Amino acid sequence: MKELICIVCPKGCHLKVDEENGWAVTGNSCPKGAEYGQNELRNPTRVLTTTVCVEGGLYPRIPVKTSRTIPRGLLMDAMAEVAKVRLTAPVRRGQVILPDLLGTGADLVASRDMDAL
């Protein structure tokens, strides 16, 4: 039996997931909590949020994130790929920076606009 705190909503339900009984979840106050508890133990995923270098812009870095969750085990490899990125302003929010990051189907996209100086 594993214990987790649900992060899907602000309630922070204390979940118990029974791995030996079909991944049964208790302690959730909504169906999303049950789904989170099962997924977190079977195949944990996260949205990657970070920054990349941008030249010729108002600031030296721009925030980026993945367009959807990626397997948690790939986060460090994804960060290694993101560290290689160098952009040139202007950059627009939603602009795809790296398509299909590590074959996950998730694009790395800009999270804000960055005008050129």
Side-chain angles (χ1 to χ4, degrees):
M1 180 87 60
K2 299 278 187 178
E3 295 185 17
L4 304 168
I5 296 177
C6 183
I7 61 170
V8 176
C9 76
K11 286 184 181 180
C13 295
H14 291 261
L15 307 177
K16 291 185 181 182
V17 183
D18 188 353
E19 302 160 292
E20 297 174 5
N21 192 16
W23 302 94
V25 178
T26 58
N28 56 303
S29 59
C30 71
K32 289 181 181 180
E35 181 180 350
Y36 169 78
Q38 291 175 352
N39 289 340
E40 185 62 17
L41 294 181
R42 288 180 175 173
N43 182 28
T45 60
R46 300 287 186 273
V47 170
L48 174 64
T49 59
T50 187
T51 60
V52 296
C53 292
V54 62
E55 296 177 8
L58 184 59
Y59 301 107
R61 299 189 72 80
I62 188 168
V64 294
K65 68 175 192 151
T66 53
S67 58
R68 56 186 248 190
T69 60
I70 64 174
R72 190 173 72 186
L74 292 178
L75 288 176
M76 296 308 287
D77 293 336
M79 284 298 296
E81 289 299 310
V82 172
K84 299 173 189 174
V85 174
R86 300 290 182 265
L87 300 174
T88 302
V91 179
R92 295 291 160 239
R93 183 175 54 148
Q95 180 178 328
V96 175
I97 307 302
L98 287 175
D100 193 22
L101 183 61
L102 297 177
T104 61
D107 298 331
L108 187 73
V109 297
S111 298
R112 68 165 286 175
D113 290 336
M114 177 74 70
D115 292 324
L117 287 175

